[in-house]
Amino acid sequence: MKLSLIAAYDEKKGVGINNTLPWHFSEDLKRFKSLTNHKTIIMGRNTFESLGRLLPNRKHIILSRDESWSNEILNKYPEVLIFSNINELMLFLDKTYDNNEEVFVIGGTSVWQFMFPFLDKLYITHVKGEYKVDTYFPEWNEDEWLKISTEALDDFSFINYERK
């Protein structure tokens, strides 16, 4: 399995405010949709709640230690998988996915941080400017990554990295 992270952040690595995106770029949303379509997406509870619904054509995996919340979500969305710790999740992923399948970690900050040691690829949208935010992308060592592609647009750039 190839474990990939997808995220967008501004020049100060801000990613969100009040559990929402501080910007709206249709090209970025289209990229997210095309990359994650028919794939598995991994997220934390807050990210799942921010979506407001299941995203079509994706398998949803949530990391949450809140058992009552998890039970409530499973009653509403029985197709969702919920794991209470990273070890259980990684065992499941290793058993379930073959080497050619790509699985995406879509957020939030703590989930990205927990998953960084396991990641193979990063799809980052570097948003120009600084936005009012209350959530930031975790620190990461760019020296451990090889920039494999860059696409510059007016308000942001798509940059893909692979682990060295």
Side-chain angles (χ1 to χ4, degrees), residues 4 7 17 21 58-59 71 76 84 89 97 102 109 119 134 141 150 154-155:
S4 299
I17 186 163
L21 293 174
R58 294 164 189 89
K59 183 175 193 172
N71 289 334
K76 187 173 182 180
S84 61
L89 171 61
Y97 295 94
E102 189 170 28
T109 300
L119 296 172
D134 58 16
N141 184 353
T150 301
D154 290 340
D155 297 317

Side-chain angles (χ1 to χ4, degrees), residues 39-54:
K39 305 276 174 70
T40 296
I41 53 177
I42 299 169
M43 70 206 83
R45 179 180 54 84
N46 287 339
T47 298
F48 180 77
E49 288 179 347
S50 75
L51 297 175
R53 62 185 173 88
L54 294 180

Side-chain angles (χ1 to χ4, degrees), residues 5-25 28-29 46-47 50 105-113 116 123-127 129-140:
L5 176 150
I6 188 165
Y9 56 73
D10 71 9
E11 292 176 9
K12 295 283 187 176
K13 294 201 174 152
V15 295
I17 186 163
N18 299 323
N19 212 22
T20 63
L21 293 174
W23 49 74
H24 180 87
F25 299 118
D28 186 45
L29 297 173
N46 287 339
T47 298
S50 75
V105 181
I106 69 167
T109 300
S110 61
V111 174
W112 285 324
Q113 197 163 17
F116 241 97
Y123 297 89
I124 305 291
T125 301
H126 288 272
V127 177
E130 295 176 30
Y131 288 75
K132 183 178 179 182
V133 298
D134 58 16
T135 310
Y136 293 86
F137 194 78
E139 291 299 318
W140 59 290

Side-chain angles (χ1 to χ4, degrees), residues 72-133:
E72 187 179 314
I73 292 303
L74 290 171
N75 284 334
K76 187 173 182 180
Y77 304 109
E79 63 271 52
V80 169
L81 297 174
I82 301 178
F83 292 88
S84 61
N85 71 64
I86 203 83
N87 293 332
E88 290 175 5
L89 171 61
M90 293 311 295
L91 284 172
F92 170 80
L93 294 174
D94 287 339
K95 288 179 186 175
T96 307
Y97 295 94
D98 69 35
N99 290 338
N100 296 323
E101 291 180 276
E102 189 170 28
V103 174
F104 282 87
V105 181
I106 69 167
T109 300
S110 61
V111 174
W112 285 324
Q113 197 163 17
F114 287 134
M115 299 300 285
F116 241 97
F118 308 104
L119 296 172
D120 301 299
K121 194 167 187 178
L122 308 176
Y123 297 89
I124 305 291
T125 301
H126 288 272
V127 177
K128 293 178 184 170
E130 295 176 30
Y131 288 75
K132 183 178 179 182
V133 298

